[in-house]
Amino acid sequence: MQAIATIGLSHKFSAEAVLDDVNLAVPAGSIYGFLGPNGAGKTTTLRLVLGLLRVQHGTIEVLGRSLDRHRLEILSRVGSSIESPSLYGHLTAVENLEVWRRVFRCPPRRIGEVLSHVGLAGTGSKRADQFSLGMKQRLAIAVALLHEPALLILDEPANGLDPHGILEMRALLTALNHEHGITVLVSSHILSEIQKLVTHVGVIHRGTLRFQGTLAALMTRQEQSAATHLHTSENLRAVKIAAQHGMEGRLAGGKVILRALDEQESGRLTTALATSGVAVYEIVTVRRDLENVFLDLIGEA
């Protein structure tokens, strides 16, 4: 089952196309990282999924139901925090949650439960405007959890956090997913922030979905982008010798570029080259990190 499924989702502001045929698929039970540069279309997509914008073209299903026909029922099972947390700075954490508890019509016990979940149970009489940014983000998540949602949607929750705050956010979202079974969709413009958190990834750029799949599939793409670089005394001959051993290569930048070779293959090739009188000056396998794969996907590498 998909917690979120969009089909042919497109959107314009005035004459400018913001989304173009976005087919989002967020598996139930996953932690889905929705990645893209600022202005890529992430927030617009999330606003459409939450019913905050009217759908112009395409369809949206959330938790197996059509958003168009079951909006209120769906939103009763979805928690969200989009852009800046909506908090009352002059109120304590408990007082902020009491306001929202009455809106959601939740039992009073939920205030203590969600404050415990997000690590704010001991804030006492401290006002929200005295909280650190990380504490404010966690309080916003506490608000989103009050009505026990099955799906949590967060827009840039790590934005502006220091490294310790990012670690705390990662631990919180992992616990909500693993211990409470909540599907989490988290948007970000920085892959390195959430690659240790997510199970699935969607990459959007200029309103189009450039990649969607498991984190493992993205890592496989990373492996496929690796290459072995060879510098020899006779690069052209080296290409021919490598081909004879099933290692197709090409010349580029004064080097021989081959698919990524393992240690045994590298040993066989260097032995074959030396036997043929070709001196090997350098052989190195270059592996790109996931951040560079992400930049490739959005055309900025």
Side-chain angles (χ1 to χ4, degrees), residues 1-4 26-29 62-65 77 183:
M1 174 184 168
Q2 302 295 340
I4 300 174
V26 179
V62 180
L63 300 173
R65 298 276 186 149
R77 301 179 61 203
T183 302

Side-chain angles (χ1 to χ4, degrees), residues 199-221:
T199 59
H200 293 71
V201 176
V203 177
I204 190 170
H205 184 50
R206 295 179 180 171
T208 63
L209 207 55
R210 304 296 177 88
F211 173 87
Q212 182 166 237
T214 63
L215 181 62
L218 187 61
M219 294 177 72
T220 297
R221 192 172 185 132

Side-chain angles (χ1 to χ4, degrees), residues 122-225:
T123 54
S125 60
K126 190 174 185 177
R127 300 192 313 271
D129 60 10
Q130 297 173 313
F131 284 8
S132 67
L133 180 57
M135 293 171 69
K136 289 177 181 177
Q137 293 283 33
R138 283 186 279 144
L139 181 55
I141 293 175
V143 171
L145 293 173
L146 267 175
H147 57 300
E148 301 185 74
L151 170 64
L152 184 62
I153 297 176
L154 305 174
D155 189 18
E156 302 273 7
N159 198 23
L161 299 185
D162 60 23
H164 181 67
I166 291 172
L167 288 174
E168 287 184 335
M169 183 62 65
R170 185 191 307 156
L172 170 59
L173 297 181
T174 299
L176 292 174
N177 178 256
H178 291 180
E179 298 172 16
H180 302 279
I182 299 173
T183 302
V184 180
L185 187 157
V186 53
S187 80
S188 177
H189 63 284
I190 303 175
L191 173 61
S192 59
E193 279 186 359
I194 63 172
Q195 69 181 74
K196 295 179 182 178
L197 167 69
V198 302
T199 59
H200 293 71
V201 176
V203 177
I204 190 170
H205 184 50
R206 295 179 180 171
T208 63
L209 207 55
R210 304 296 177 88
F211 173 87
Q212 182 166 237
T214 63
L215 181 62
L218 187 61
M219 294 177 72
T220 297
R221 192 172 185 132
Q222 174 195 13
E223 281 297 313
Q224 292 172 343
S225 70

